[in-house]
Amino acid sequence: MKTLENQTLLYDEDFPLCSLYTTGFVKSGMLDQNGRKSYCQLSEEEQNFVDLKRAPNEIALVDNKTKTVTYGIDSLIKWSVFLFR
């Protein structure tokens, strides 16, 4: 399985299941070591392009190169297409 590099999955650090599954994605190699981040710990720069109303409620996947974010089912599709092609 490929590693999704230069992408960060935002998660809710106050919800144990989110922390558990994102940690598992990193440990399994699906995400690189910097592939997860709590949406509560976004930098000021990241807050300029992440929709802070959507990120807590939808799965947000940040492309660190283009500074763009996909949300919800779009992020899952993007991730799945990359990992399983």
Side-chain angles (χ1 to χ4, degrees):
M1 186 172 298
K2 297 178 183 181
T3 299
L4 189 57
E5 298 175 343
N6 299 310
Q7 306 284 317
T8 302
L9 186 63
L10 301 182
Y11 72 99
D12 183 348
E13 66 185 27
D14 295 325
F15 189 59
L17 186 58
C18 289
S19 183
L20 180 69
Y21 77 75
T22 56
T23 298
F25 292 157
V26 172
K27 286 184 178 181
S28 70
M30 293 169 71
L31 292 170
D32 64 22
Q33 289 301 313
N34 298 314
R36 66 188 283 265
K37 186 174 198 174
S38 168
Y39 68 83
C40 295
Q41 297 178 346
L42 294 173
S43 69
E44 194 170 314
E45 177 190 4
E46 291 167 324
Q47 290 179 30
N48 289 326
F49 60 87
V50 172
D51 184 333
L52 299 177
K53 291 182 181 175
R54 290 182 77 183
N57 300 311
E58 300 179 45
I59 298 169
L61 185 63
V62 178
D63 184 318
N64 297 306
K65 285 187 175 183
T66 63
K67 308 289 191 229
T68 58
V69 185
T70 54
Y71 298 91
I73 192 70
D74 293 331
S75 65
L76 290 175
I77 291 170
K78 179 180 178 180
W79 197 21
S80 298
V81 167
F82 173 81
L83 291 175
F84 298 109
R85 64 180 161 148

